[in-house]
Every structure is written in structure tokens, then in C-alpha cells.
Amino acid sequence: MSKAPFYITTPIYYPSAKLHIGHAYCTTIADAVARYKRLTGHEVFFLTGSDEHGQKIQRTAEAQGVTPIEYVDKIVDSFKELWRRLEISNDDFIRTSEPRHHEVVQEVFRRIQQNGDIYKGEYTGLYCTPCESYWTEIQLDENGCCPDCHRPVEKVSEEAYFFKMSKYADAVLKHIEENPEFLEPKSRRNEMINFIKQGLEDLCVSRTSFDWGIPVPGDEKHVIYVWFDALTNYLTPIGFLDDAERFKKFWPADLHLVGKEIVRFHTIIWGCILMALGIELPKKVYGHGWLVINGGKMSKSKGNVVDPMLLIDEFSADAIRYFLLREIVLGQDGNFNRDALIQRINADLANDLGNLLHRTLNMINKFHGGELRETAGLTELDESIRAEAVATAKEYRALMDDMKISDAVKLVWKFISRCNKYIDETAPWKLAKDSTQAQALANVLYNLAESLRIIAILIEPFTPSTARKILEQLQIDNNFDIIQFTDAEIFGRLEAGHRVGKPQQLFPRIEL
Ligand code: ME8
């Protein structure tokens, strides 16, 4: 059976500095979705990358006495290293400085220009260099600064190319209004509808004041506006220019996951570009919230950034992934707090999950020499834990399909707590002392091992390394290229006679 394709993207990150935990948040959510989709039998293409052009990068490189490409090469290596350590399962990494991307951007520009939707004119406007964004007078904040980053804007005047966004405004508005699933959550959708209703001006899509960018085809003193260049990255690796079949398979993208401040670019500007190209719009743009520290956005200029690499060194990638996915409700802002992180590690990972695994394997080893036995004559309690396992997998699927990721995490941990309670209720150490209870003991130990097998599959999108470790200790093949979500939907896959391994600690407790 051919697998349904699923194309998911993160934004491509600016290599203007090292990435912080806020960037890692975005990529971790995308990774959880990508892994879940693979588990449920999709052919996933998961893209992330780096957005390397623009005046800001050029200026930073100059200030450091290196060329832009020398500057970005080093930073992009650090992105890749972070994603490797965080176990991000991206299928490709697009760099906008790559020739494959230049070709696509120039072709997109050329096609729109040939249609008459890109024209030459004179631009006078207010530009925020750090955000690479043009603003109109009315959009500025109360101090006359950039409404996003609140830094001063510059008045620029130059010959430039314009993209006829105004021509597509109504069509994009209609698309947003008529397709509620196109832009989520709902709050973002209302913002964009209001934004378009205020009127869209044509967009300036070229600059002449610097040259670190992709040249306008046939007029090389202009470079293409960095957002026009960046958004087009989503078309580059799926065969837009060179593989029509592959392009048809993966486009329209199933999900562009982006931070809330760039929803405007991904729905309105990108929507207009795609319409001008005569290409379908992505199926969904999801605008997530920000990771904040004491209520303010984490940013380099505020000096409040948290380095994900150091957190991984200290607590492990899975602990960080768990915290981000569990603590922050997708679509809302969430607070990053070290004490809260440590509490989650201790309570949920070391205690609830770690103890369940440890106690289960310990008892199977101690009472049954590490072997699972045939079950028979189940009690109501035994039946209820089995029913709850199956119900958990079912509800989990519904939540994940609905992007309710933190709810899905909580649901699995509710089942983990239920399993721990089952141990307390059945008291296997007492059953082991009573020879008339041999079957009851076999039933409890089997149910626990089987529940852990299911838990391991359900947590793989969140904490992949922990999932593999649990299966390894249960001595079950832990190759997630083969394991499917359906393996978690059926209780009773483990065979009597199966031998489990010795327990090993999953998460050490952290002293506060
Ligand atoms: O915007 N919390 O790049 P970028 C949550 N190059 N998310 C955060 C965050 C925080 N504290 N800080 C940043 C760009 N992000 C463009 C994208 S796509 C064609 C071009 C998220 O490196 C932010 O919301 O500034 C955004 O989605 C992503 O990191 C990249 O930000």
C-alpha cells in the first residue's frame, strides 16, 4: 500500500546568532509531529534549514572581518549540531545560500515577472533591518519604531521591483475566511483577516543597498528581498524545478509550523506569491506562541537567552523535549523556567516513568526469572488496565491529529500513573508469597510489560531515545523505522515465554 505523503516544515532560522531554546521549541514540535506521522504510516518529508541572506548578516560578517559565507557556514554548522543532539529527524536541511535554492528563487521571480505581477518602480519606505521588514507609517509602534522588535526603522529610497500583492489580497482573504483549517489557531486567523482588511500595498521585492542575496534575474545590481527568497525555500527540495512527480507528491505542504510573529509572511505574502505562480496554498499554517522569560520574549538583545546545548548537556535531549512539549500549550505563550524543568524531570520522568519501568522489570526478574507467562482468568482490575491502554492509544491519535500535543503528552502520563497505581493495588510482592496466586501474579506482570511496550511507542514522538531504551530493556526490537502506531493499538502483542532485560535507570533525579 502506498503511504500518504506528509510534508512538514519549520521556519528556516537566521544565522545571526546561536539558536536559543525558543528556536528549539519550534523545531521540537515539528519533530514530534513528523515522528507521529511516520508512526501512523505516512511518508514524511520534514524540512528545516537556514535563512542566510540579507543586510543584517552582511553587516555582522563585515563587523567580524569575514565574508558572509564564512560567517554563516560556522553558525549553520552549530544549527546542524543542535538538531542532531536534539534528535530532530529532518529529512533535508535547506540553506538559502545553496545553488539549488538560487535557481528556484530566480525562476519563481522570473515567472511572476513574466505574468506582469512584478514591475519596476521607486521605493520609499521604512525598513527595520533586524527584522528585514518594511513597515508603513501607521504600522509603527507608539515611538515610531518597528512594531515587532521596537527598534528604530530607517527611511530608504531606491529603485526597486514590486510584487503586485494588492491584486491577490481579496483572493487570499477569501481563502483564509473560507478554509478555517488553513490558518490556526483561530486567534491568528482573526488577526490576519483584520490585517488584510486594512488594505494590502504592493510589496517591494528587491534591494540595491547591499549585495548578499540572490540577484534579480537580468538586473544584477538588485538582490531579491530576503522574505521572497526565504519563503521560496519550501519549494526547493521537493522538486519544484527538476522533479514534477515528486513536487506533485509533496505540494501543497501539509503543515508550515511557524512562530506567531511570522504568520503574516506565511499566509499573506506567501499566499500571494503562490497565487501569482498559480500554485496551491499550503494546507495549514500553524502559528505557535513564544517561550517567554518573566513574561518577555527571549531574545539576544534582551540578554535573556537560554542555550539549548547547555541544557542538553545538563539534562539530556529527551528531558528538554519533554518539558517543551508538555509544559507549553501549542498556540499559547509559555514560560521557560529552570526549576519547573527540574520538577518535571523528577516527577514525571524519573519517578512516574522511571519507576514504572524499574519496578516492572525488577519484579519480572525477581519473581519469574525475567520471563513473561501465559495469562488466564483476568480480574476486573486486569481488564480495566488493558481497556485503558487501548483507550489511551485511541484518544492519543485524536489529540495528535488535532495538534493538541501537550494534551497527548499528559494523556500518556495519566496512563503511566494508572499503571503505577495498578502495581500498588495488585501488590505483586504479596501475590508472589502466596502459591495460590501464581496465575494472578503472571497476569499482573504481563499486563505491566505490555503496557510499557505501548507507552514506549506512544512517547516516541516526544522522547525518542527514552522510547528506544524502554523497548531495549523489554528486549523488544526498538527500530522505529519498522514499528507502527498500530502496534500500540492492540494489547497482547508480547508472547508468553518472552524474556525481558534487567532494569537500568532512565533519568537520574536532579537535586534542586
Ligand atoms: O523569523 N519562542 O527566523 P528566526 C518561540 N528567518 N519561538 C521562537 C522564539 C521564542 N522565544 N524565538 C524565536 C525567521 N522563535 C525567518 C523565518 S521562514 C521562511 C523565515 C521562532 O530565526 C520564531 O517564532 O528569527 C520563528 O518561527 C523561528 O523561531 C525562526 O526565527
Side-chain angles (χ1 to χ4, degrees):
M1 203 177 70
S2 78
K3 293 177 167 186
F6 188 85
Y7 180 25
I8 176 170
T9 68
T10 71
I12 48 172
Y13 300 92
Y14 289 128
S16 42
K18 273 185 8 186
L19 296 178
H20 58 63
I21 191 76
H23 303 112
Y25 170 60
C26 186
T27 312
T28 301
I29 302 165
D31 187 61
V33 174
R35 286 174 183 273
Y36 166 71
K37 288 291 172 186
R38 287 191 197 101
L39 265 181
T40 47
H42 292 80
E43 182 178 345
V44 171
F45 186 68
F46 172 19
L47 180 68
T48 187
S50 50
D51 181 3
E52 304 184 11
H53 294 130
Q55 187 164 27
K56 187 175 165 195
I57 303 278
Q58 185 163 351
R59 281 186 186 163
T60 314
E62 273 161 14
Q64 297 192 6
V66 293
T67 62
I69 194 70
E70 284 169 340
Y71 171 76
V72 292
D73 274 351
K74 235 172 59 205
I75 304 223
V76 170
D77 281 347
S78 77
F79 288 12
K80 289 185 175 168
E81 176 62 5
L82 174 61
W83 302 147
R84 191 188 64 75
R85 291 207 56 205
L86 204 54
E87 285 214 54
I88 302 301
S89 61
N90 55 300
D91 298 288
D92 200 346
F93 186 101
I94 178 86
R95 296 185 57 174
T96 55
S97 58
E98 289 175 85
R100 61 169 174 162
H101 177 66
H102 283 215
E103 285 170 23
V104 172
V105 174
Q106 290 189 324
E107 178 60 19
V108 166
F109 195 97
R110 215 178 277 123
R111 284 193 200 173
I112 299 180
Q113 195 175 20
Q114 273 161 9
N115 292 345
D117 287 338
I118 287 179
Y119 61 92
K120 210 174 199 174
E122 171 82 12
Y123 184 78
T124 308
L126 302 160
Y127 191 72
C128 174
T129 303
C131 296
E132 315 266 14
S133 293
Y134 287 102
W135 300 102
T136 60
E137 205 78 50
I138 45 164
Q139 289 169 334
L140 299 180
D141 70 8
E142 62 281 9
N143 301 317
C145 292
C146 169
D148 267 352
C149 74
H150 305 291
R151 283 178 273 209
V153 290
E154 282 175 73
K155 196 163 197 163
V156 290
S157 188
E158 58 189 35
E159 179 195 78
Y161 288 88
F162 286 86
F163 168 49
K164 280 190 195 161
M165 285 237 295
S166 53
K167 180 174 159 189
Y168 296 98
D170 288 345
V172 170
L173 178 62
K174 189 161 172 263
H175 187 84
I176 296 176
E177 285 181 327
E178 287 179 0
N179 299 281
E181 73 295 338
F182 168 66
L183 170 52
E184 287 185 47
K186 212 169 158 188
S187 51
R188 303 276 99 81
R189 197 165 150 251
N190 295 337
E191 268 171 32
M192 289 309 114
I193 289 173
N194 290 336
F195 191 93
I196 304 179
K197 283 186 172 163
Q198 286 170 20
L200 286 190
E201 289 173 15
D202 289 350
L203 179 74
C204 177
V205 287
S206 73
R207 299 292 309 270
T208 49
S209 53
F210 63 93
D211 60 8
W212 176 235
I214 301 176
V216 166
D219 195 356
E220 309 241 319
K221 71 176 190 295
H222 294 262
V223 293
I224 295 173
Y225 172 44
V226 71
W227 270 101
F228 190 98
D229 162 355
L231 288 161
T232 305
N233 93 85
Y234 301 128
L235 302 180
T236 300
I238 52 162
F240 175 72
L241 275 188
D242 53 7
D243 189 343
E245 206 173 305
R246 186 171 156 75
F247 187 72
K248 201 167 149 231
K249 180 174 181 179
F250 286 114
W251 194 264
D254 293 272
L255 176 61
H256 288 325
L257 185 73
V258 303
K260 60 182 180 182
E261 82 287 11
I262 58 174
V263 164
R264 183 168 66 90
F265 297 89
H266 282 82
T267 53
I268 303 178
I269 299 184
W270 188 220
C272 291
I273 292 174
L274 290 167
M275 282 184 180
L277 278 173
I279 291 177
E280 270 182 272
L281 269 54
K283 290 183 198 155
K284 190 191 292 299
V285 176
Y286 195 104
H288 66 73
W290 287 337
L291 230 69
V292 297
I293 292 205
N294 302 326
K297 190 185 179 194
M298 195 179 293
S299 76
K300 199 176 150 218
S301 56
K302 287 189 193 147
N304 64 356
V305 295
V306 176
D307 183 347
M309 222 50 133
L310 296 178
L311 286 178
I312 296 171
D313 288 342
E314 195 173 356
F315 301 111
S316 81
D318 273 6
I320 310 309
R321 292 175 60 111
Y322 178 79
F323 180 82
L324 295 174
L325 295 170
R326 147 111 206 193
E327 280 288 293
I328 298 138
V329 177
L330 192 59
Q332 297 176 15
D333 289 351
N335 213 41
F336 183 83
N337 176 303
R338 196 185 150 85
D339 287 351
L341 167 67
I342 293 175
Q343 268 167 20
R344 284 267 160 243
I345 294 173
N346 285 343
D348 301 2
L349 300 176
N351 272 2
D352 292 349
L353 180 60
N355 282 349
L356 176 63
L357 179 69
H358 201 272
R359 290 160 95 190
T360 300
L361 294 183
N362 219 11
M363 292 189 295
I364 298 171
N365 277 290
K366 194 165 156 197
F367 304 141
H368 286 167
E371 196 179 88
L372 297 180
R373 298 199 179 157
E374 210 70 62
T375 60
L378 300 180
T379 64
E380 223 171 86
L381 199 55
D382 297 329
E383 295 286 10
S384 81
I385 200 93
R386 290 179 167 217
E388 194 156 334
V390 174
T392 299
K394 188 163 174 225
E395 199 180 329
Y396 172 104
R397 208 192 247 272
L399 291 171
M400 290 299 282
D401 286 339
D402 203 18
M403 299 286 291
K404 301 235 163 46
I405 299 178
S406 57
D407 288 342
V409 178
K410 286 174 197 152
L411 178 78
V412 180
W413 257 261
K414 192 174 132 217
F415 181 59
I416 291 169
S417 297
R418 180 70 197 89
C419 292
N420 276 317
K421 196 162 160 239
Y422 176 67
I423 299 181
D424 301 337
E425 287 164 346
T426 54
W429 50 92
K430 283 189 193 151
L431 301 176
K433 285 192 191 133
D434 181 348
S435 59
T436 68
Q437 297 295 324
Q439 185 60 56
L441 178 63
N443 294 348
V444 171
L445 297 181
Y446 180 89
N447 285 346
L448 288 169
E450 184 63 6
S451 295
L452 273 163
R453 181 188 68 80
I454 291 171
I455 289 166
I457 298 173
L458 298 183
I459 65 172
E460 194 271 343
F462 316 136
T463 52
S465 151
T466 305
R468 291 195 302 270
K469 280 186 198 158
I470 294 173
L471 292 181
E472 193 183 325
Q473 293 187 40
L474 287 167
Q475 297 193 158
I476 300 171
D477 185 358
N478 66 358
N479 180 357
F480 274 92
D481 291 339
I482 295 163
I483 295 167
Q484 285 290 297
F485 193 79
T486 46
D487 295 322
E489 288 176 315
I490 296 164
F491 198 98
R493 281 279 167 94
L494 281 170
E495 307 258 339
H498 178 88
R499 298 189 75 86
V500 301
K502 295 264 175 335
Q504 274 152 27
Q505 193 177 49
L506 288 179
F507 291 91
R509 272 190 72 82
I510 317 277
E511 293 309 323
L512 257 177

